[in-house]
Amino acid sequence: MKTVFQSVQDFSEEELNLLDDLITFRTLKKGELLLTENQICNEIVFIKKGILRSFFMNHKGDEITNCFAFENEFMASFASFITEEKAEENIQALTETELQILDRKALEKLYKSGFNWQETGRKLTELEFVNLHKRMVSFQKLSGAERYEELYQNHQKYIQLIPMQYLASYLGITPRHLSRIRKAVL
Amino acid sequence: MKTVFQSVQDFSEEELNLLDDLITFRTLKKGELLLTENQICNEIVFIKKGILRSFFMNHKGDEITNCFAFENEFMASFASFITEEKAEENIQALTETELQILDRKALEKLYKSGFNWQETGRKLTELEFVNLHKRMVSFQKLSGAERYEELYQNHQKYIQLIPMQYLASYLGITPRHLSRIRKAVL
DNA sequence: AAAAGAATAGGACATTTGTCCTATAAAAGA
DNA sequence: TCTTTTATAGGACAAATGTCCTATTCTTTT
């Protein structure tokens, strides 16, 4: 987690020590839920090892995956964390997972402790925004097949590590349709 | 613009005076472009009067609208503003429009001038994130018809003020299909 | 290792959505 | 105001995508 913060801002020893004191740890077994819908998300996790996915339900009761997170990435229901309203997402471990955790109180301490943390918070939020924006654009301008193709070219990891059923809803299509698309690509 | 900032943070007289010095003004005629794709977006505008839309092109050359902004809202290619890379969006006035403008340098001055601005920047970015997240969820979990219905129930203003051709791509459907949906809703 | 359970691919058919086109209505410009 | 341009609605048909289902393969559990 330190490394990511340092890539955004040049922190001093003391600042990073403060961070060390605030981080806690947790492991998840495959399939375990870190957050369930209707809870308020009060922590941001950083993945040391493993894969998480976040998903919500549609009105038919199907699970719709809205994102994945891999090693050295952050995960949370950011919307719930920000608004302090109930999350509509569930967050689940797709593999054995090791986490570092920064909870709301810890983050608030960091923010209060100085300008640098405040600025880092803003910049990381900005980057999350940009990522989400890219995903939004891909939904507006590409077909399901094109989104798959894009993943295939630029994020091989998704296709190798994520079960097809989850990948399908992540791409905004049904598993049946994903199967057709994969057949066409081969 | 002040009002929005004050709704997020309790600013002093001096802080708001600094803001006053940094804001500039501009008006746009109907149809005029504020930003074109391949420019770097270096300013965030606040709408005093009028409506803006932001759109990009798909590979067929169709315009795809990705958002609208109304009175008392901010608009920019935030992705380009943040990354300082070329925008893929165009921003266009849908009506005569009056703007307040905060450019990159002005915003950086604010950020440097103190903790409060830094924090406000973070919080407004967070809110933009949450809005975008909602839109993303609506694309993953709803059909085009359901997104129209949602707009019809909760954002009447869009249906009253925005030409159907723009609304269609904003909803992720064709004008032909929007026409079908509208017929069904009546 | 065997048995049970879950994930994937893909056939047949249904539904949704898009494409192309035309008529009418509305808006902009002369 | 009249003329020209642009926007909208909707018919007919085509293409894309979804639903339901089964066979097969891959995982997990005992």
Side-chain angles (χ1 to χ4, degrees):
Chain A
M1 176 143 63
K2 272 189 202 176
T3 322
V4 173
F5 285 131
Q6 273 181 305
S7 75
V8 175
Q9 193 103 200
D10 194 28
F11 284 104
S12 69
E13 280 292 311
E14 301 105 89
E15 285 172 315
L16 292 174
N17 289 342
L18 173 58
L19 176 61
D20 273 335
D21 295 342
L22 295 171
I23 289 176
T24 58
F25 297 88
R26 181 165 174 191
T27 61
L28 298 174
K29 278 174 281 183
K30 181 170 178 175
E32 200 177 344
L33 289 170
L34 173 66
L35 176 80
T36 58
E37 55 191 296
N38 296 323
Q39 287 182 303
I40 292 173
C41 176
N42 287 309
E43 49 189 40
I44 293 177
V45 305
F46 181 81
I47 303 175
K48 294 304 287 181
K49 196 160 188 315
I51 304 176
L52 299 181
R53 83 166 173 128
S54 145
F55 66 96
F56 47 78
M57 300 295 176
N58 69 7
H59 47 57
K60 283 178 223 147
D62 306 324
E63 295 182 355
I64 310 286
T65 297
N66 80 107
C67 72
F68 302 101
F70 298 87
E71 269 178 46
N72 299 318
E73 294 177 350
F74 288 102
M75 175 65 115
S77 166
F78 289 106
S80 168
F81 189 88
I82 290 166
T83 61
E84 303 194 43
E85 290 167 10
K86 287 177 182 174
E88 35 193 0
E89 303 107 310
N90 305 268
I91 298 179
Q92 183 189 39
L94 291 190
T95 64
E96 294 276 318
T97 300
E98 295 169 21
L99 300 173
Q100 292 180 328
I101 298 181
L102 201 58
D103 68 20
R104 188 184 300 283
K105 281 181 188 165
L107 190 61
E108 278 167 7
K109 260 184 206 161
L110 286 179
Y111 282 156
K112 276 182 202 147
S113 79
F115 204 88
N116 276 353
W117 286 112
Q118 197 65 246
E119 186 166 13
T120 300
R122 176 174 59 80
K123 287 185 180 171
L124 289 178
T125 308
E126 285 175 354
L127 295 184
E128 286 295 329
F129 178 92
V130 170
N131 283 336
L132 187 57
H133 176 260
K134 279 183 193 158
R135 187 155 151 71
M136 190 65 232
V137 169
S138 83
F139 263 74
Q140 278 199 274
K141 99 154 102 184
L142 305 179
S143 66
E146 288 164 331
R147 284 194 292 281
Y148 176 80
E149 182 66 22
E150 208 252 318
L151 223 53
Y152 188 84
Q153 299 299 337
N154 305 328
H155 301 278
Q156 204 65 37
K157 160 166 85 167
Y158 279 72
I159 287 152
Q160 287 159 358
L161 302 175
I162 308 289
M164 287 303 136
Q165 44 171 341
Y166 301 150
L167 213 46
S169 66
Y170 177 73
L171 292 169
I173 58 181
T174 58
R176 177 68 188 87
H177 193 50
L178 179 54
S179 151
R180 262 190 294 247
I181 289 166
R182 284 161 61 80
K183 183 155 201 182
V185 170
L186 289 182
Chain B
M1 174 143 61
K2 274 189 201 174
T3 321
V4 174
F5 285 132
Q6 273 182 306
S7 74
V8 175
Q9 194 102 201
D10 194 28
F11 284 103
S12 68
E13 279 292 312
E14 302 104 273
E15 284 172 315
L16 292 174
N17 288 343
L18 173 57
L19 176 61
D20 272 336
D21 295 342
L22 295 171
I23 290 176
T24 58
F25 297 88
R26 181 164 174 191
T27 61
L28 297 173
K29 279 175 280 183
K30 181 169 178 177
E32 198 176 346
L33 289 170
L34 173 66
L35 176 80
T36 59
E37 55 190 298
N38 297 323
Q39 287 182 303
I40 293 172
C41 176
N42 287 311
E43 50 189 40
I44 294 176
V45 306
F46 182 81
I47 304 175
K48 294 304 286 181
K49 197 159 189 313
I51 304 176
L52 298 181
R53 83 167 172 129
S54 145
F55 66 96
F56 48 79
M57 300 295 176
N58 69 7
H59 47 57
K60 282 178 223 146
D62 306 323
E63 294 183 357
I64 310 285
T65 298
N66 79 109
C67 73
F68 302 101
F70 298 87
E71 268 178 44
N72 298 317
E73 294 176 350
F74 288 101
M75 175 65 114
S77 166
F78 289 107
S80 168
F81 189 88
I82 290 167
T83 61
E84 303 195 43
E85 290 168 11
K86 287 177 182 173
E88 35 193 0
E89 302 106 311
N90 305 267
I91 299 179
Q92 182 189 39
L94 290 190
T95 64
E96 295 275 317
T97 300
E98 296 169 20
L99 301 173
Q100 292 180 329
I101 298 181
L102 200 58
D103 68 21
R104 188 184 300 284
K105 281 179 188 167
L107 190 61
E108 279 166 7
K109 259 184 207 161
L110 286 179
Y111 282 157
K112 278 183 201 143
S113 79
F115 203 89
N116 276 353
W117 286 111
Q118 196 64 247
E119 187 167 12
T120 299
R122 176 174 59 79
K123 287 186 180 170
L124 289 178
T125 308
E126 286 175 352
L127 295 184
E128 286 295 330
F129 178 91
V130 170
N131 283 337
L132 186 57
H133 176 260
K134 279 184 194 157
R135 185 153 152 73
M136 190 64 233
V137 169
S138 83
F139 263 74
Q140 279 200 272
K141 101 154 102 183
L142 305 179
S143 66
E146 289 165 329
R147 283 194 293 281
Y148 176 80
E149 183 66 22
E150 208 252 318
L151 223 53
Y152 188 85
Q153 300 298 337
N154 306 327
H155 300 277
Q156 204 65 37
K157 156 166 88 168
Y158 280 72
I159 287 152
Q160 286 159 358
L161 301 175
I162 307 289
M164 288 302 135
Q165 45 171 339
Y166 301 150
L167 255 195
S169 66
Y170 176 74
L171 292 170
I173 58 181
T174 57
R176 177 67 189 88
H177 193 50
L178 178 54
S179 150
R180 263 190 292 245
I181 289 165
R182 283 162 60 80
K183 182 155 201 182
V185 170
L186 289 182

